[in-house]
Amino acid sequence: MENGRTVPETLRWAGEYLSLHKVPDPSIEAEFLLAHAFGCQKKDLLIHPERVLTPGEVEQFKGFVERRGRREPLQYILGEVEFRGLSFKVNRKVLIPRPETELLVEEAINSIKGREGSGEGKDITILDLCTGSGCIAISIAKELPYCRVYAVDISERAIEVARENAERYGVGERVIFLPGDLFEAIEPLGLDGEIDLIISNPPYVSKKEMEGLQPEIKAYEPLSALYGGEDGLDFYRRIVDEAPFYLSDGGLLIMEIGCSQAERVKDLLENEGLFSQIEVKKDLSGIDRIIKAAYYSKEI
Ligand code: GLN
């Protein structure tokens, strides 16, 4: 790309470059990247269409476009993603929060709000397993000031990013980040029977599905946040097996699931024998996406 181009000319060049590299929605992505290079909003790009890019802006923008052309996810280039109206920092240390996961958070918030006596002085204890960027834990803590959230991830690098996100929203004191392998991280805290809600978007992609992932996901997102073992269900087995030790009577387990996993995860919950009121909810594309169950210490 030569110097001296205006905004529309620059966008046209970038759109064609991205299209050539098979990036979906090339024109829109070009706008996001140019706005990022200018440090402005996408909607403000064409306020001065005759504006000519400075050599510094050209350099930076070209760098962004080339990265996107190599199929690095747009969100990693922007360094931010919006999730339920909040902006979260993201980079290659964390999985990019997906829109479907917003429904998981919604379900958890509504379930807690619906509980008898919630918000009346009784603190609610929540455990978020595989927290990644922290988007689930932080969104809940921000919306429900009487909640304390323990947020676990096996990746210390992910926890660094999640901590920054929690500070950004002023919930650093109520979201306690713990590095570790699922429940192992909270074992020393003596929370047996004390947790009101366990929430998780665990890695759930099966071995076979891993092969078919888009290049953006396969080459850039952390594998350990995606791969759920041969059949994708490894984490559900472990979570369903151990959750009863930690849940309070009537406590809830809410998890995101991959498409076609609902029946098998439901079976795991049923076979455990201590979960009831098992419900599966669909996402906006009509795909089974959330599974929810209540724990009772005696089978009912
Ligand atoms: N939903 C993610 C995907 O699209 C998978 C996330 C996960 O494994 N929890 O690949």
Side-chain angles (χ1 to χ4, degrees), residues 95 98 100 201-205 213 217 225-226 256:
L95 185 86
R98 311 287 203 259
E100 306 85 91
N201 173 21
Y204 56 64
V205 181
L213 291 178
I217 304 178
L226 292 162
E256 182 170 320

